[in-house]
Amino acid sequence: LPTGPTIVLSASVVLIASLLFAPNRGILGALLRERRLARRIRQENLLKDLWVTGERAGDLAERGATVAWAHLMGLRGQSRRALERSLRPLERRGWVEEGDAGVALTARGELAGAAIVRKHRLWETYLANRLELPADHVHRDAEDMEHVLSEDAVERLDELLGHPAVDPHGQPIPRSLASAKFEVAA
C-alpha cells in the first residue's frame, strides 16, 4: 500500500473515533447525556404536573388522590405509553402509584413534586422581582431553570428573595425541603 494514503486513512480513523468516543467531549457521550437529561426532565415535569393538579383540586392533603390518565395525557400531549415509560422510575422510587383510573403521588412523591414546584416558583419570583420582568413573561424561563437549579442554589435564591410566600401569580411557594434530597435520575 502507498504510504501517503495509508497515513491519511489511519489519521482519519483516529480522528473519527476520537470525535465519537472521547470521554467528555465525544458525540456519542453528548447524545447519551442529552437523552438522560430529556428523560429526567420528562419525569420531573410529570411529578410537577401531578403535584400542581393535586394542589388545584385541593387533594394534596388527601393521600392517594388519583389524577386521571386522560388529564395527564392532555397536560403534556403524551400518549399513555410514553407516560408509563416516564412513570416507571418514579414508581420504583416509591413516588407514584399507577392504577387503571390514573396516577397518584405517594407521600414521598408529594415531597419530590413540591421541591420541583418550589424551584419553578422561586425562579419566577426572582425574574419578576429582581429582573423586573412582567409576571406573564417568566413562566417559560422558569420551566427551563427548574431542572438545573441545585438545592443549594434554591436555598440561596430563597434567602436572597427574603423567603417569599407566593410567586408573581399569587401561587404559594412550597417551603424548604433542605433535609430531603430529591433528584430525579434517569
Side-chain angles (χ1 to χ4, degrees):
L1 293 173
T3 310
T6 304
I7 292 173
V8 170
L9 185 60
S10 300
S12 297
V13 168
V14 169
L15 174 67
I16 290 170
S18 66
L19 285 173
L20 288 175
F21 303 112
N24 294 324
R25 298 177 187 220
I27 294 170
L28 185 61
L31 289 173
L32 291 173
R33 283 189 301 276
E34 187 176 310
R35 286 187 67 188
R36 279 193 303 266
L37 177 62
R39 189 173 34 242
R40 192 190 79 197
I41 287 172
R42 281 192 306 274
Q43 292 169 8
E44 287 180 358
N45 284 338
L46 187 53
L47 272 177
K48 182 177 71 171
D49 290 343
L50 289 165
W51 195 92
V52 169
T53 301
E55 176 189 43
R56 287 184 182 147
D59 292 338
L60 283 177
E62 179 186 326
R63 294 279 184 242
T66 300
V67 178
W69 284 107
H71 179 74
L72 283 175
M73 290 186 291
L75 285 174
R76 298 281 171 179
Q78 293 180 323
S79 68
R80 181 168 171 168
R81 184 175 174 191
L83 286 172
E84 287 173 339
R85 268 196 316 269
S86 295
L87 282 168
R88 264 185 243 123
L90 302 178
E91 194 170 26
R92 281 193 300 268
R93 284 187 168 75
W95 291 351
V96 297
E97 294 173 345
E98 289 183 62
D100 290 335
V103 181
L105 285 174
T106 64
R108 292 187 66 226
E110 287 178 18
L111 292 174
I116 296 164
V117 170
R118 175 176 167 74
K119 289 176 183 183
H120 180 93
R121 292 181 180 170
L122 278 172
W123 192 254
E124 282 185 334
T125 304
Y126 175 77
L127 292 173
N129 292 357
R130 293 297 179 145
L131 299 182
E132 299 178 358
L133 293 175
D136 60 342
H137 287 73
V138 298
H139 182 73
R140 177 165 276 166
D141 290 333
E143 278 284 317
D144 295 335
M145 288 302 293
E146 71 192 27
H147 303 293
V148 296
L149 287 173
S150 69
E151 291 301 320
D152 291 337
V154 171
E155 293 307 316
R156 287 193 305 256
L157 188 60
D158 190 29
E159 191 175 311
L160 174 71
L161 294 169
H163 309 286
V166 295
D167 71 3
H169 310 292
Q171 297 295 317
I173 298 173
R175 293 301 2 134
S176 175
L177 305 169
S179 62
K181 299 292 182 199
F182 295 101
E183 280 191 33
V184 179

